[in-house]
DNA sequence: CACGGCTTCTGACATTTGTCATGCCGAGTG
DNA sequence: CACTCGGCATGACAAATGTCAGAAGCCGTG
């Protein structure tokens, strides 16, 4: 009914991006119109080339896949976004979906499958890797309140409470309370373990 | 003078591995004789197919690239090992070189370059990405003693001193002393920041 | 409007850390 | 052999953290 699917490929690893570009080009109905290695670059390329589907890596320098997806949603509503990732954390999937992403797959799929999924997404349907979806469901929603998550994030690099308090413009006591409740909600031993746990679930 | 270079490709991401396999196959003098998705699998494949060069991802389930390289060194001395990685930490490079790895490159290189490097390595020469090499030199050697590193590693998941002491079969006081000296050697604020720092340098 | 949940704070307490001084033993070095 | 360094330990003190109770304001829902 129409021409080939026009693709934007964004991944910071040349090796993967190039290889992917070659493989996907082998498909008759797919054509790569642009490539990018960073978030901002992906955005610029999308504006310039108006792709039908943007295949984005989740972790890129500059701005991650979800951020790019959000911006794309506003600027190019017609462009479908498909996120590809190595380390799919449950929380990322949720945020991606909220950002209007149409597909979310791990890099463990084959190029064949990816091509099919690109077609699915282009057709207006959604596709989420079943395993990642199961993980996300199993992990559930973050039990943390906004502030708890914020404070936990500031604690992520091992900063002392005093520093966290300053950066969050809170009193030290409040910070300790938030940390304490976050730790107990997550069932962690201490805040550092809590950070790791929240990280692994993609809640921070 | 001889036939094509026989390659083993190991990477847990099908997408990348498959794409890479296709791209490298395009080169007349390279042929992929085996693929693997995990460390142990890579080892088994190497034993079965006796490749000339093993292209290994640094991070794989089961056993990382360096571990596989060490095993390969012993079992198949004729097999040259080339490590490819996304996140190249300085310490990894050092350990890889100690394991007899002949090449170490980031995934940001192009397939063309990779093919050239594979030939270089096959020819008995070494190749280390200049940028990674510079990072490794800048980061220098770990100032930590073996025990300090060990204790720091046990502290990595936020475990309390008591647990570290038990797992390391040391007294709590000793653990604290080691942690303390590690923290001061690394110039960190506290042990958690120290862990992060050591991690980023690949010293743990 | 009353209730519950989130945010924010204070203060007090117990526990966990980080730091330091000090000591002993074994291995390697000049 | 004396010296140094790393590994291991104690004990003691100060600082940071974790835990609790209590209290006030704000917001949305029933």
């Amino acid at each position: 009914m129409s021409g080939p699917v026009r693709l934007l490929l964004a991944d910071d690893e040349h090796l993967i991006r190039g290889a992917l570009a070659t493989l996907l080009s082998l498909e008759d109905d797919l054509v790569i119109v642009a490539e990018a290695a960073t978030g901002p670059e992906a955005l610029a390329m999308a504006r310039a080339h108006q792709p039908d589907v943007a295949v984005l890596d989740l972790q890129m320098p500059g701005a991650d896949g979800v951020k790019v997806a959000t911006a794309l949603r506003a600027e190019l509503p017609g462009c479908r976004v498909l996120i590809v990732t190595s380390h799919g954390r449950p929380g990322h999937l949720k945020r991606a979906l909220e950002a209007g992403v149409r597909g979310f797959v791990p890099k463990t799929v084959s190029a064949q499958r990816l091509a099919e999924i690109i077609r699915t997404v282009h057709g207006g349907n959604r596709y989420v890797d079943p395993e990642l979806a199961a993980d996300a469901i199993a992990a559930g929603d973050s039990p943390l309140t906004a502030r708890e998550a914020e404070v936990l994030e500031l604690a992520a690099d091992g900063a002392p409470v005093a520093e966290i308090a300053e950066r969050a413009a809170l009193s030290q006591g409040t910070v300790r309370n938030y940390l304490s409740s976050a730790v107990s909600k997550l069932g962690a031993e201490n805040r550092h373990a809590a950070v790791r746990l929240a990280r692994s679930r993609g809640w921070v």
Side-chain angles (χ1 to χ4, degrees), chain A residues 134-148:
Chain A
D135 284 353
I137 290 163
D141 268 15
S142 170
L144 305 175
T145 68
R147 290 281 182 252
E148 283 165 357

Side-chain angles (χ1 to χ4, degrees), chain A residues 26-95:
Chain A
L26 257 43
E27 306 286 322
D28 292 338
D29 57 340
L30 304 181
V31 52
I32 285 104
V33 296
E35 293 187 24
T38 69
E41 203 176 309
L43 223 41
M45 283 300 186
R47 272 193 283 263
H49 296 93
Q50 311 266 327
D52 297 321
V53 177
V55 179
L56 309 176
D57 187 8
L58 190 54
Q59 48 227 343
M60 281 187 291
D64 73 17
V66 177
K67 285 213 189 77
V68 175
T70 308
L72 241 38
R73 190 102 207 109
E75 294 192 45
L76 297 175
C79 175
R80 306 278 152 79
V81 176
L82 171 60
I83 293 215
V84 177
T85 178
S86 328
H87 319 289
R89 303 200 208 290
H92 292 155
L93 172 53
K94 189 164 188 293
R95 275 185 295 141

Side-chain angles (χ1 to χ4, degrees), chain A residues 123-136:
Chain A
N125 300 302
R126 292 173 180 237
Y127 180 86
V128 172
D129 179 76
E131 202 149 339
L132 291 180
D135 284 353

Side-chain angles (χ1 to χ4, degrees), chain A residues 113-193:
Chain A
R113 282 292 292 134
L114 183 64
E116 285 169 34
I117 294 164
I118 288 171
R119 287 181 201 109
T120 302
V121 167
H122 179 243
N125 300 302
R126 292 173 180 237
Y127 180 86
V128 172
D129 179 76
E131 202 149 339
L132 291 180
D135 284 353
I137 290 163
D141 268 15
S142 170
L144 305 175
T145 68
R147 290 281 182 252
E148 283 165 357
E150 188 188 332
V151 170
L152 199 57
E153 186 146 30
L154 287 172
D157 53 359
V161 171
E163 200 179 311
I164 301 171
E166 202 184 344
R167 289 213 271 168
L170 290 176
S171 87
Q172 300 198 10
T174 306
V175 169
R176 287 202 267 167
N177 286 151
Y178 282 156
L179 249 23
S180 189
S181 79
V183 166
S184 72
K185 277 179 182 177
L186 297 178
E189 288 270 316
N190 55 45
R191 57 159 138 170
H192 303 287

